[in-house]
């Protein structure tokens, strides 16, 4: 226990204090400075000091600033006892602390503590006898000399204010004066530590005099060098001015064309700009004429003026809207998609009557390859407008939509205004492609920036950060595309009208291949003059055995490969008769030729599982971004201890569905012909093949329940039945999504019946006629109805027998 004596107060010093290690800094008594404290031990020490009654802590400088976790050997022994005057917590957790130095103390050792560093301290003993009792005249002279040197030092150093110097002469406490002067000097930490450790006032002032003399000499040399550099800069500036005057003389003599400003002014006057844009352009043009052409700001202003003049402000391009002609254009470019075309034609009809379309933005949602982007082009053609496409996939910066402010180097407007400049009209069809692929990070949320663009109530005054002018987007017909709705923010989705594009049926794919894909590939591969036929049965084989998709991109690639093979045959043997040619010389690509042209088929024909044992196996239906898919669920029950294993890369929701199916089977064990305690004697393994593919969602609930009950009872499932629906613990069947895509997948795989929730029954009427005619739909409300439709026979009610007689899946 000790005391720190000051001229204005006396502070009791405890035996232990929290310790804060300082890097590249020595803190002196009587100084008040703000510090940023961020290391965990230092934060803990600060909090410990705050909890104590006196609020004191010890500030010690580190010997090595690079040390992150200093020990006792890494710290100097002498430091400053300080008190926190103000503490502010910054957003990143760092503390900004204003500290007041009270006096010096010596560290005698560190003690273990959970609250950061904590040390045993004792008061620093200062020899006050040297303050004037032995040689007061010499000490007074030394003090005045140091003060004068500091005044000269402050006058020469640009980082030190000259104002503190006069106030230092007024203090009568020499120890305080020495510490304040030491704190204001810009010295290295070891040199400042030497000043802090001086026990005698005379030694302190002598060391200050030594350091100040050295620093003054260095500063005077630097001032001399700066004066030489300024003289050289003045000479360079004079040369620049002379060059500018010479250029002006050349312009007066006609050596340089001066029509640039006249052309720019003429472009501004002819641009038919709105009043606000015209005023801004004229103001920027005046600023530009006053600047040096080689100045960086001149290039920024010139680029800005170019953008104002290049944007379309009033020009429109449109033709008389004819709904019948629009229908013909859509039919000529796209086969099928009847419901989608009807909804698009409804919007076009309204536009033809009203002249403007004040309503939700169209959003075409569907799997890849179904024609979303080409539909946007067809809409533009039907309306006689320009077409602009902007891909938003991977865009994560708000500035990509709204542009960068002109303060940034290389700033440009956002993609919206860039697209408007490319099209040159104010009323294009603007396609925002892959709007579900938007991302967001620390640079902002581009999805939020699109809210203003896609809102008819706001986009009449869209403001780009670069342009800083209101731009009218109300005449633009925006069309967005997406693969799924899950990636679109809810506020953005609320501003759009969703039009779903389901996957194509096999019959539609055959027509598309015959009318669009094969003629285009023949033209691209130089086969247009050859009489080569790709019949429907060959296309059907390609669709069934070489593709698995909702769209037609893979089909197009396969047909392209066939065309390349045929082109090679024509190039290598143009005069030889080919194996697939008929008597007239034309060639027909038969289904048997596909193995040679495309290789072995990667997909087995549907119905390949019909001859297998169906116990513990059920056909589920799944929705993917590429359309509907058939999902096999396998369950095996083997003797064990009641463990349930779920494999196949299942998500949390699907795992919960499996557990709900297991609980339902246990609750209905007697009705299903199972022993009440069957679950304690059996291990159940639920597996969904293609284990590398992640799977999730509740729609496989009834499928897993059917496969589980089939495995436990030994009753096989019907091979021609697929199902989808969510199961509850009480056996109720809840509705699911993606019914259209799942029904198309069932038909594509050759199944005949589909079990679906009764609540999804109204969606059956919206399915294509071919799907409704090719499938029998069985709406169900409960698992009892599911089991009646999915199992080959109804389970018999359980009677008390030995548990070992419970039927198991074949091993």
């Amino acid at each position: 226990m000790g005391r720190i004596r000051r001229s204005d107060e006396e502070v009791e010093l405890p035996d232990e204090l929290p310790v804060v290690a300082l890097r590249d800094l020595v803190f002196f008594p009587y100084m008040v400075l703000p510090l940023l404290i961020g290391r965990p031990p230092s934060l803990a020490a600060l909090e410990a000091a705050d909890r104590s009654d006196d609020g004191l802590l010890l500030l010690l400088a580190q010997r090595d600033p690079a040390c992150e976790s200093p020990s006792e050997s890494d710290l100097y022994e002498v430091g400053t006892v300080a008190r926190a005057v103000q503490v502010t917590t910054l957003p990143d957790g760092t503390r900004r602390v204003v500290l007041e130095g009270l006096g010096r103390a010596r560290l005698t050792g560190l003690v273990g503590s959970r609250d950061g560093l904590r040390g045993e301290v004792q008061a620093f003993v200062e020899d006050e006898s040297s303050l004037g009792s032995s040689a007061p005249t010499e000490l007074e002279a030394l003090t005045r000399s140091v003060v004068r040197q500091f005044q000269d030092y402050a006058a020469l150093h640009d980082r030190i204010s000259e104002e503190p110097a006069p106030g230092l002469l007024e203090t009568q406490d020499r120890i305080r004066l020495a510490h304040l002067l030491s704190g204001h000097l810009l010295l290295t930490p070891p040199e400042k530590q030497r000043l802090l450790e001086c026990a005698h006032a005379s030694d302190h002032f002598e060391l200050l005099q030594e350091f100040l003399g050295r620093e003054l000499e260095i500063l005077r040399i630097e001032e001399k060098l700066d004066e030489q550099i300024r003289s050289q800069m003045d000479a360079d500036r004079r040369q620049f001015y002379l060059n500018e005057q010479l250029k002006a003389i050349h312009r007066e003599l006609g050596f340089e064309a001066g029509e640039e400003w006249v052309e720019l002014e003429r472009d501004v006057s002819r641009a038919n700009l709105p009043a606000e844009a015209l005023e801004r352009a004229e103001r920027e043009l005046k600023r530009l004429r006053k600047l040096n052409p080689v100045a960086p700001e001149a290039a920024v202003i010139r680029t800005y003026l170019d953008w104002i003049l290049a944007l379309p402000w009033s020009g429109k391009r449109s033709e008389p809207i004819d709904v019948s002609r629009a229908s013909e254009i859509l039919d000529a470019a796209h086969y099928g998609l009847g419901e989608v075309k009807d909804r698009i034609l409804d919007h076009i009809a309204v536009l033809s009557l009203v002249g403007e379309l004040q309503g939700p933005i169209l959003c075409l949602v569907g799997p890849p390859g179904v024609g979303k982007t080409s539909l946007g082009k067809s809409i533009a053609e039907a309306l006689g407008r320009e077409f602009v496409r902007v891909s938003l996939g991977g865009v994560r910066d708000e500035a990509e939509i709204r542009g960068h402010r002109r303060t940034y180097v290389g700033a440009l407007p956002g993609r919206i205004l860039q697209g408007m400049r490319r099209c040159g009209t104010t009323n294009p069809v603007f396609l925002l492609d892959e709007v579900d692929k938007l991302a967001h990070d620390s640079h902002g949320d581009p999805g939020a920036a699109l809210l203003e663009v896609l809102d008819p109530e706001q986009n009449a005054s869209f403001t780009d950060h670069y342009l800083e002018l209101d731009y009218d987007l109300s005449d633009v017909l925006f069309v967005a595309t997406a693969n799924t709705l899950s990636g679109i923010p809810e506020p953005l989705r609320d501003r759009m009208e969703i039009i779903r594009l389901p996957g194509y049926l096999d019959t539609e794919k055959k027509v598309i291949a015959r009318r669009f894909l094969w003629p285009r590939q023949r033209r691209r591969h130089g086969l247009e003059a050859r009489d080569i036929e790709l019949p429907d049965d060959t296309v059907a084989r390609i669709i069934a055995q070489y593709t698995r998709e909702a769209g037609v991109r893979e089909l197009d690639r396969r047909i392209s490969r066939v065309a390349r093979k045929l082109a090679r045959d024509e190039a290598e043997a143009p005069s030889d008769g080919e194996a697939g040619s008929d008597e007239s010389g034309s060639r027909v690509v038969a289904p048997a030729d596909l193995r040679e042209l495309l290789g072995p088929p990667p997909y087995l024909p549907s119905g390949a599982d019909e001859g297998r044992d169906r116990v513990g196996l059920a056909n589920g239906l799944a929705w993917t971004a590429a359309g509907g898919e058939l999902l096999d669920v396998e369950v095996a029950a083997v003797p064990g201890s009641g463990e349930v294993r779920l494999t196949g890369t299942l998500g949390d929701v699907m795992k919960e569905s499996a557990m709900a199916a297991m609980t339902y089977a246990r609750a209905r064990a007697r009705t299903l012909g199972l022993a009440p305690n069957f679950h304690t004697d059996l291990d159940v393994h639920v597996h969904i093949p293609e284990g590398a593919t992640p799977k999730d969602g509740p729609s496989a609930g009834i499928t897993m329940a059917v496969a589980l009950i089939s495995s436990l009872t030994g009753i096989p499932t019907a091979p021609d039945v697929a199902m989808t629906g969510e199961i509850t613990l009480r056996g109720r069947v809840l509705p699911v999504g993606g019914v259209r895509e799942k029904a198309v997948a069932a038909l594509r795989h050759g199944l005949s019946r589909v079990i679906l929730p009764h609540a999804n029954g109204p969606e059956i009427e919206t399915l294509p006629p071919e799907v409704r005619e090719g499938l029998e739909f069985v709406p169900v409300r409960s698992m009892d109805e599911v089991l009646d439709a999915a199992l080959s026979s109804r389970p018999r009610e359980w009677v008390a027998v030995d548990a070992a007689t419970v039927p198991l899946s074949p091993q």
Side-chain angles (χ1 to χ4, degrees):
M1 199 74 172
R3 294 183 178 181
I4 297 177
R5 294 181 175 85
R6 293 160 52 99
S7 59
D8 53 348
E9 65 175 327
E10 187 172 285
V11 180
E12 292 288 339
L13 184 66
D15 296 330
E16 294 182 5
L17 283 177
V19 176
V20 174
L22 303 179
R23 291 188 287 193
D24 290 321
L25 177 64
V26 177
F27 204 96
F28 285 89
Y30 300 98
M31 296 195 68
V32 178
L33 288 177
L35 299 181
L36 291 178
I37 298 180
R39 287 188 288 183
S42 300
L43 291 174
L46 182 63
E47 292 174 358
D50 185 61
R51 290 193 300 268
S52 64
D53 296 333
D54 50 18
L56 302 180
L57 49 82
L58 180 62
L59 305 178
L60 293 175
Q62 291 184 200
R63 299 180 186 273
D64 182 10
C67 181
E68 287 293 332
S69 300
S71 59
E72 182 175 353
S73 60
D74 298 320
L75 302 174
Y76 288 103
E77 294 180 1
V78 177
T80 300
V81 177
R83 180 188 294 122
V85 178
Q86 182 182 11
V87 180
T88 304
T89 303
L90 302 180
D92 60 351
T94 304
R95 304 284 181 84
R96 183 181 185 277
V97 186
V98 178
L99 296 170
E100 178 187 10
L102 302 179
R104 292 181 288 180
R106 187 182 299 275
L107 178 71
T108 59
L110 290 178
V111 297
S113 173
R114 295 181 179 179
D115 298 331
L117 296 176
R118 193 173 184 85
E120 297 177 349
V121 299
Q122 63 182 19
F124 187 88
V125 179
E126 297 179 347
D127 185 4
E128 297 182 0
S129 62
S130 62
L131 296 181
S133 58
S134 57
T137 306
E138 291 81 359
L139 185 58
E140 179 65 21
L142 180 60
T143 301
R144 293 185 180 183
S145 174
V146 168
V147 171
R148 283 194 300 271
Q149 284 182 309
F150 180 80
Q151 290 175 327
D152 296 338
Y153 175 81
L156 291 173
H157 209 298
D158 55 358
R159 293 173 57 186
I160 297 179
S161 172
E162 300 182 45
E163 296 178 1
L168 295 178
L169 294 175
E170 299 175 2
T171 180
Q172 301 300 320
D173 187 345
R174 286 190 174 86
I175 293 181
R176 179 175 182 178
L177 174 63
H179 287 322
L180 290 176
L181 291 176
S182 300
H184 279 85
L185 293 182
L186 299 180
L187 304 174
T188 63
E191 292 175 340
K192 285 198 170 186
Q193 186 66 29
R194 288 180 58 190
L195 292 170
L196 184 65
E197 294 178 357
C198 289
H200 304 285
S202 58
D203 295 340
H204 202 155
F205 278 102
E206 287 175 359
L207 194 56
L208 279 173
Q209 188 178 43
E210 176 185 345
F211 288 154
L212 282 170
R214 182 196 66 191
E215 292 297 317
L216 281 172
E217 184 178 357
I218 294 174
L219 288 173
R220 291 188 178 104
I221 294 174
E222 290 179 350
E223 185 181 31
K224 182 179 179 180
L225 294 175
D226 289 341
E227 182 63 28
Q228 294 176 355
I229 293 173
R230 281 195 296 271
S231 300
Q232 183 64 37
M233 290 181 62
D234 291 339
D236 294 339
R237 190 177 295 109
R238 178 174 176 273
Q239 182 69 28
F240 173 77
Y241 290 152
L242 291 176
N243 288 333
E244 291 299 312
Q245 291 179 0
L246 184 61
K247 290 179 182 179
I249 294 173
H250 286 170
R251 284 194 295 269
E252 292 293 329
L253 295 176
F255 295 155
E256 182 175 345
E259 298 182 357
E260 181 180 3
W261 301 116
V262 177
E263 293 178 359
L264 199 54
E265 290 176 353
R266 184 167 59 246
D267 292 341
V268 171
S269 61
R270 292 178 177 178
N272 196 18
L273 301 176
E276 181 185 5
L278 179 60
E279 180 184 356
R280 185 65 172 272
E282 291 176 347
R283 185 167 66 249
E284 294 294 332
L285 183 59
K286 290 180 180 179
R287 289 182 57 202
L288 181 62
R289 299 192 65 166
K290 296 177 181 178
L291 292 174
N292 181 10
V294 299
E297 189 178 358
V300 172
I301 296 176
R302 181 58 191 264
T303 304
Y304 178 75
L305 287 173
D306 289 341
W307 271 101
I308 291 181
L309 297 176
L311 284 173
W313 295 92
S314 57
K316 293 184 179 181
R317 179 196 167 187
S318 62
E319 299 177 2
I321 300 176
D322 187 347
V323 179
S324 299
R325 177 177 173 273
S327 178
E328 294 174 0
I329 292 175
L330 291 177
D331 290 337
H334 300 84
Y335 180 78
L337 305 177
E339 181 184 353
V340 177
K341 292 178 183 177
D342 285 342
R343 297 181 66 177
I344 292 176
L345 290 174
D346 291 343
H347 284 268
I348 293 177
V350 173
L351 189 60
S352 67
L353 296 176
V354 180
E356 58 180 1
L357 191 61
Q358 294 291 337
I361 307 300
L362 298 181
C363 182
L364 307 177
V365 179
V370 296
K372 299 183 295 297
T373 304
S374 58
L375 265 175
K377 295 181 181 178
S378 299
I379 294 173
E381 184 180 356
L383 296 176
R385 297 188 179 188
E386 296 290 337
F387 177 74
V388 183
R389 174 184 171 272
V390 171
S391 178
L392 300 179
V395 172
R396 60 178 64 249
D397 190 350
E398 179 197 3
E400 294 284 345
I401 306 297
R402 290 185 173 275
H404 297 82
R405 299 192 181 277
R406 284 194 291 160
T407 53
Y408 296 100
V409 177
L412 286 174
R415 298 196 179 192
I416 302 299
L417 290 191
Q418 290 181 26
M420 297 301 295
R421 177 178 180 174
R422 288 199 306 270
C423 71
T425 63
T426 60
N427 63 337
V429 174
F430 205 116
L431 183 71
L432 301 173
D433 210 3
E434 309 292 352
V435 73
D436 59 327
K437 308 298 189 303
L438 288 171
H440 63 275
D441 57 9
S442 59
H443 296 92
D445 186 355
L450 279 177
L451 296 179
E452 180 184 1
V453 176
L454 300 182
D455 192 340
E457 302 297 330
Q458 303 181 38
N459 60 13
S461 57
F462 172 72
T463 302
D464 187 275
H465 288 161
Y466 179 86
L467 201 64
E468 294 180 337
L469 294 170
D470 289 344
Y471 192 83
D472 188 2
L473 296 175
S474 59
D475 292 330
V476 180
L477 178 59
F478 287 101
V479 179
T481 70
N483 293 129
T484 65
L485 291 177
S486 58
I488 304 177
E490 186 63 32
L492 186 59
R493 191 189 315 173
D494 184 61
R495 284 165 167 78
M496 299 188 293
E497 180 176 350
I498 307 301
I499 299 180
R500 294 185 179 274
L501 280 72
Y504 291 111
L505 301 176
D506 288 353
T507 55
E508 293 175 331
K509 291 181 180 180
K510 286 191 289 186
V511 177
I512 291 172
R514 182 175 66 251
R515 289 178 50 182
F516 301 99
L517 303 184
W518 176 240
R520 182 174 61 192
Q521 295 301 339
R522 286 183 60 189
R523 184 171 59 254
R524 288 181 176 178
H525 293 84
L527 302 175
E528 202 168 8
R530 274 75 171 177
D531 189 4
I532 301 176
E533 183 181 353
L534 191 70
D536 287 348
D537 55 347
T538 304
V539 175
R541 178 74 63 85
I542 296 176
I543 295 171
Q545 298 186 11
Y546 290 89
T547 64
R548 279 291 185 273
E549 60 176 345
V552 292
R553 281 186 182 158
E554 183 62 24
L555 177 61
D556 190 29
R557 284 192 288 267
R558 293 292 182 177
I559 292 177
S560 174
R561 185 174 176 183
V562 170
R564 286 195 299 271
K565 292 289 186 180
L566 296 177
R568 179 179 175 183
D569 292 343
E570 293 288 335
E572 290 179 349
S575 61
D576 296 340
E578 298 297 337
S581 301
D582 57 22
E583 296 180 356
S584 62
S586 63
R587 179 168 183 176
V588 178
V589 182
D593 300 332
L594 292 179
R595 181 174 290 271
E596 178 183 354
L597 296 173
L598 298 178
Y603 305 105
L604 293 175
S606 59
D609 293 337
E610 292 183 4
R612 293 173 48 191
D613 188 354
R614 300 286 303 183
V615 174
L617 177 64
N619 298 326
L621 293 171
W623 179 93
T624 68
E629 287 292 341
L630 191 66
L631 191 70
D632 290 337
V633 177
E634 299 176 349
V635 177
V638 297
S641 58
E643 180 184 2
V644 179
R645 298 187 62 189
L646 306 173
T647 57
T649 318
L650 309 184
D652 292 338
V653 177
M654 187 168 282
K655 291 179 181 179
E656 293 170 359
S657 297
M659 300 308 297
M662 185 66 183
T663 304
Y664 168 78
R666 289 175 56 186
R668 301 293 302 275
R670 186 177 298 275
T671 305
L672 297 174
L674 304 175
N677 60 344
F678 75 92
H679 60 283
T680 61
D681 303 323
L682 297 174
D683 286 347
V684 177
H685 187 169
V686 180
H687 178 69
I688 300 181
E690 298 185 15
T693 304
K695 313 167 191 70
D696 204 1
S699 62
I702 66 172
T703 311
M704 289 190 282
V706 168
L708 174 65
I709 294 172
S710 172
S711 177
L712 294 172
T713 61
I715 301 174
T717 61
D720 62 338
V721 175
M723 61 203 76
T724 181
E726 180 179 355
I727 186 177
T728 68
L729 296 179
R730 302 177 64 86
R732 293 185 297 123
V733 181
L734 303 182
V736 294
V739 172
R740 186 185 185 107
E741 290 82 359
K742 294 175 182 178
V744 172
L747 183 64
R748 185 170 64 242
H749 286 81
L751 303 178
S752 60
R753 284 190 296 165
V754 173
I755 302 173
L756 75 166
H758 188 274
N760 291 115
E763 298 184 43
I764 299 175
E765 300 178 2
T766 65
L767 297 177
E770 182 180 348
V771 177
R772 296 200 304 268
E773 296 170 1
L775 294 174
E776 176 188 354
F777 293 93
V778 184
V780 294
R781 289 187 173 89
S782 66
M783 275 303 300
D784 291 336
E785 300 177 47
V786 175
L787 296 177
D788 289 339
L791 298 181
S792 60
S793 62
R794 181 69 179 175
R796 295 181 179 180
E797 189 169 353
W798 177 82
V799 293
V801 294
D802 188 85
T805 63
V806 176
L808 305 177
S809 299
Q811 302 302 311

